[in-house]
Amino acid sequence: MSKVLELRSKRAALWEQTKSFLEKHRGENDLVPAEAVEQYNRMVKDVKAMGDEISRLEEQEAFDAQLASPTTKPVISKPGAANKQPAVSSPLGTAEYNAAFWNMIRNRGDYGAIQNALSVGVDSEGGYTVPNEFERQLVEALDENNIFRGMAHVIHTSSGTRKIPIAEASGEASWIDEGEEIPEVPMTFGQATLSAYKLGEMIKISNELLHDSAFDLESYIARRFGVSMGNAEEKAFITGTGIGQPLGILDDAGAEIGVTAASQTAVTFDEIYGLYYSVRSPYRKKATFLCNEALVLQMMTIKDANGNYIWKPGLGIAEPDTLLNRPLKTSSYMPAVEAGNKVLLFGDMSYYWIADRAGRTFRRLNELYARTDQVGFLTTQRVDGKLILTEAVKVLQMAAGA
């Protein structure tokens, strides 16, 4: 037994003796004779002295351990690597995970390497969570090929659903006289729910490309998946049914009809102007027009009452074209100018919320295309979207057919 443990044991025993001594000499009136008090105080001092000695010995042991410790750390990796690598809070962001992931993709290592070195790498559905760097590239590709995603409000969720509270009505304060009762203003609240619909894709790559170290596999996969998944997303965000996919902004439960055109094939200045003012002023401050390019060609020839073209090209770098001095963007998934179609959106698109469920998964399929010496790659993600405030966006609809 060490000296410290021995003193701790003696100190505990002495303290119990001290308490017993005091109780033993306590009289019927709960008073303790003076001579017993003096003895009690001496015993308490001994308990404190033992505590001080224990503290001194523990301090000595700490100094001895510090002096006995090595003054340098052994080199277990490249010198200076610790200074070059930034602190990583997510295991998916480590260089080790990134290297193991792409070695698995190129079949240069085994699948267990990811599981052993990076225990976070296995998805509940059997895929591998992509490294942070690859996911960043994929998100960039999605944004680049998805005009609507850039205008919408994007949130990230780790659960399957996300409930969004919405104030459906707001009252108005009243002017009251002195002593008059203050009236109650009714407030109503609703709730929108965003789910997590699965979006997936599979591509094939030859083994020659996989084993070619000069081939930038990461960029190719990110770009390929980004284009196709971005297109699928944008189509759903605009025309989605809400069944197994996001609810599109053009759905009857989405943007409200602001103007109905008199023609089935053409729009006029008055109708576009009417759409502009069908959106309330607070939403017009950040509002954007959205249509397909065929309609843009038609609107480029429209003039206002003063003979000025209402369409103007963007002159600066990355500056969008404008319509009635508001940004005009195009999407090939906006309907054509035909009878009954909703062809022109205007409003604050940030009220369309996109919910990305955290973590895309990625799987390599070795056997499916083995006969053609190719390897399949499959990726999935979960996403939902919905216009949570319908009055923020209005749409121009063409006249119905006969």
Side-chain angles (χ1 to χ4, degrees):
M1 180 182 294
S2 69
K3 185 65 173 178
V4 172
L5 292 178
E6 182 181 352
L7 282 177
R8 284 186 180 278
S9 178
K10 288 183 178 179
R11 184 169 179 249
L14 180 58
W15 176 238
E16 293 300 324
Q17 292 175 13
T18 303
K19 291 190 294 183
S20 297
F21 175 84
L22 186 65
E23 294 302 320
K24 186 184 297 184
H25 290 82
R26 195 181 298 279
E28 296 180 356
N29 56 358
D30 283 340
L31 296 178
V32 180
E35 60 272 19
V37 171
E38 291 180 3
Q39 179 62 25
Y40 172 80
N41 290 337
R42 285 193 295 268
M43 296 174 72
V44 169
K45 287 182 179 180
D46 291 338
V47 172
K48 291 182 178 180
M50 280 189 171
D52 294 338
E53 180 62 14
I54 291 171
S55 297
R56 285 191 291 269
L57 290 174
E58 288 178 338
E59 187 177 12
Q60 288 177 6
E61 289 183 353
F63 277 124
D64 289 340
Q66 184 177 359
L67 292 173
S69 63
T71 57
T72 60
K73 293 183 179 180
V75 177
I76 58 176
S77 60
K78 294 180 180 180
N83 296 329
K84 296 180 180 178
Q85 294 293 335
V88 178
S89 59
S90 169
L92 300 181
T94 61
E96 182 186 12
Y97 186 85
N98 191 67
F101 180 86
W102 289 109
N103 282 336
M104 179 274 294
I105 295 303
R106 293 181 185 271
N107 205 22
R108 292 175 178 167
D110 63 330
Y111 292 88
I114 290 184
Q115 296 176 353
N116 294 335
L118 324 142
S119 59
V120 296
V122 180
D123 176 73
S124 60
E125 296 180 353
Y128 291 95
T129 304
V130 300
N132 287 357
E133 178 64 18
F134 178 71
E135 180 154 34
R136 184 188 65 81
Q137 294 177 14
L138 183 55
V139 169
E140 288 178 350
L142 285 173
D143 289 343
E144 182 180 348
N145 295 280
N146 191 331
I147 299 299
F148 199 86
R149 177 178 275 269
M151 297 187 293
H153 176 69
V154 180
I155 61 175
H156 300 274
T157 176
S158 58
S159 61
T161 59
R162 182 74 172 264
K163 295 181 179 179
I164 305 167
I166 301 172
E168 295 182 336
S170 58
E172 183 177 309
S174 302
W175 297 101
I176 57 176
D177 294 330
E178 186 71 25
E180 185 179 352
E181 182 179 354
I182 300 175
E184 179 183 349
V185 176
M187 294 289 291
T188 58
F189 296 89
Q191 184 172 266
T193 301
L194 291 176
S195 301
Y197 299 113
K198 181 182 285 188
L199 179 65
E201 181 193 3
M202 184 170 64
I203 63 174
K204 296 182 293 184
I205 299 178
S206 69
N207 275 305
E208 287 81 1
L209 287 178
L210 285 176
H211 297 137
D212 183 2
S213 59
F215 178 63
D216 189 355
L217 179 66
E218 295 92 324
S219 297
Y220 172 78
I221 293 178
R223 184 169 59 254
R224 179 68 181 269
F225 282 155
V227 170
S228 56
M229 297 185 78
N231 290 340
E233 277 191 357
E234 182 154 310
K235 183 178 181 180
F237 295 155
I238 293 175
T239 61
T241 63
I243 302 174
Q245 60 183 266
L247 183 67
I249 195 170
L250 292 181
D251 190 88
D252 291 341
E256 300 174 350
I257 297 177
V259 172
T260 300
S263 169
Q264 299 177 6
T265 59
V267 297
T268 66
F269 168 75
D270 289 342
E271 291 163 352
I272 299 172
Y273 204 62
L275 177 65
Y276 180 91
Y277 279 101
S278 69
V279 177
R280 293 172 55 193
S281 176
Y283 304 119
R284 292 202 302 268
K285 296 176 181 178
K286 297 181 180 180
T288 302
F289 284 99
L290 180 68
C291 64
N292 66 22
E293 291 188 351
L295 182 56
V296 173
L297 291 174
Q298 187 180 130
M299 293 188 298
M300 288 172 65
T301 63
I302 297 176
K303 298 180 180 180
D304 60 18
N306 298 320
N308 299 314
Y309 287 102
I310 62 174
W311 176 89
K312 292 183 174 60
L315 301 177
I317 298 176
E319 183 179 328
D321 299 339
T322 61
L323 187 68
L324 297 178
N325 295 320
R326 294 306 307 162
L328 171 64
K329 296 189 177 182
T330 62
S331 171
S332 59
Y333 296 104
M334 284 294 293
V337 184
E338 297 176 357
N341 283 352
K342 299 174 179 178
V343 298
L344 181 61
L345 281 167
F346 179 67
D348 189 345
M349 307 297 176
S350 66
Y351 283 97
Y352 188 94
W353 282 35
I354 296 172
D356 285 332
R357 183 170 179 177
R360 296 184 178 92
T361 60
F362 194 87
R363 279 179 281 181
R364 172 180 173 136
L365 309 176
N366 289 314
E367 303 301 328
L368 188 60
Y369 303 107
R371 294 181 63 183
T372 57
D373 197 27
Q374 294 175 309
V375 177
F377 294 97
L378 184 149
T379 186
T380 60
Q381 70 177 80
R382 290 185 178 274
V383 64
D384 193 12
K386 181 182 295 183
L387 183 63
I388 65 170
L389 200 60
T390 57
E391 67 176 18
V393 182
K394 297 295 180 71
V395 62
L396 186 152
Q397 185 173 23
M398 304 307 295

